Amino acid sequence: MFNIAIDGPAGAGKSSIARAAAANLGFIYVDTGALYRTVALAALKRGLKSEDKEEIIALLPAIEVSMGFVDGEQRVFLNGEDVSEDIRLPEVSAAASTVSAIPEVRQFLFDLQRDMAKTNDVLMDGRDIGTVVLPDAQLKIFLTATPEERARRRYEQIKDKSDVTYEEVLKDLNQRDYQDTHREIAPLKQADDAVLLDTTNMSFDEVVKAIEDLAKERQV
């Protein structure tokens, strides 16, 4: 199996870029961030706060997270309910960063991610794919952009669904960057053998092509 690991900070465009590259390469796309967001959403639906660690751990046996395709598009399900849109809301994004630092949550989702990679050619994105989840991936990419550009992209994505301002998005993003890079368990960092890809001044299609070219070079 050929595995591609893409890591990077929030708002770097990993999900949309990885999804397109995977489709063009004929790989299965695994959005690990969506999995953590789904656990965070489950906690919020129960009235829990992201820092309610013990309560969230106790909730895990009642959570079923899965991925599937609807009309050719990958969707995320929480106990059978399609939550693909709900998990992109700002409050869920903020909670996901804290929830993903809980070791029991990471272990809960770890086996699911690894099993996908063992049996399929996958392109998987997240925060610790190249460093922890798929350390032996044949291609590792660290995808990033400036905080301002990442905030602009995220704001454009959610502005029609939320009253949040650009300034609020930037503040939340900077806070999440700090949490992701300073957490005790699997902090966000570039793997030693990862290719750094700064997309600040690149178009969507340029980034997708760059990933495809790197994959084809490694597959030769």
Side-chain angles (χ1 to χ4, degrees):
M1 297 298 106
F2 192 94
N3 296 163
I4 302 174
I6 298 183
D7 292 309
K14 297 187 301 296
S15 297
S16 54
I17 289 167
R19 184 180 293 107
N24 292 345
L25 291 167
F27 282 32
I28 289 178
Y29 167 58
V30 182
D31 178 0
T32 63
L35 301 178
Y36 287 104
R37 287 167 180 264
T38 304
V39 174
L41 177 63
L44 293 176
K45 281 178 172 288
R46 292 292 185 94
L48 301 177
K49 296 180 180 179
S50 58
E51 58 267 26
D52 293 335
K53 179 179 176 180
E54 296 304 322
E55 290 84 352
I56 292 173
I57 294 172
L59 179 63
L60 293 177
I63 296 176
E64 180 184 345
V65 181
S66 61
M67 289 183 165
F69 288 86
V70 178
D71 296 329
E73 180 182 357
Q74 189 178 65
R75 310 292 288 181
V76 185
F77 298 87
L78 170 60
N79 294 335
E81 177 188 357
D82 189 339
V83 295
S84 304
E85 307 302 331
D86 293 343
I87 62 173
R88 300 299 170 184
L89 295 173
E91 58 268 28
V92 179
S93 297
S97 182
T98 305
V99 168
S100 65
I102 300 174
E104 289 83 356
V105 173
R106 303 197 70 80
Q107 188 60 48
F108 175 70
L109 296 173
F110 186 77
D111 293 338
L112 173 63
Q113 298 167 27
R114 276 270 178 96
D115 288 345
M116 290 180 180
K118 286 179 181 177
T119 54
N120 300 279
D121 290 332
V122 302
L123 193 161
M124 190 177 296
D125 76 329
R127 298 289 188 281
D128 62 347
I129 308 306
T131 55
V132 177
V133 181
L134 300 178
D136 297 323
Q138 290 89 338
L139 173 60
K140 302 176 187 177
I141 297 171
F142 193 83
L143 195 70
T144 190
T146 64
E148 292 77 15
E149 175 62 15
R150 289 186 282 123
R152 184 194 67 77
R153 295 172 182 172
R154 179 60 57 84
Y155 175 70
E156 289 297 323
Q157 183 183 36
I158 66 174
K159 65 180 182 180
D160 293 334
K161 308 170 188 175
S162 173
D163 294 331
V164 68
T165 66
Y166 165 80
E167 289 74 20
E168 290 170 333
V169 172
L170 179 59
K171 180 180 178 181
D172 288 344
L173 185 144
N174 283 328
Q175 177 62 29
R176 185 165 188 188
D177 281 353
Y178 182 85
Q179 292 175 335
D180 287 345
T181 55
H182 288 77
R183 68 190 182 201
E184 183 176 349
I185 304 297
L188 169 66
K189 63 180 180 179
Q190 181 178 340
D192 293 338
D193 54 347
V195 177
L196 178 64
L197 192 56
D198 188 327
T199 70
T200 302
N201 297 310
M202 297 176 69
S203 70
F204 179 88
D205 290 340
E206 287 173 339
V207 180
V208 172
K209 185 177 187 304
I211 293 173
E212 291 174 19
D213 289 344
L214 286 168
K216 290 172 182 176
E217 287 174 9
R218 299 291 176 92
Q219 285 179 298
V220 173

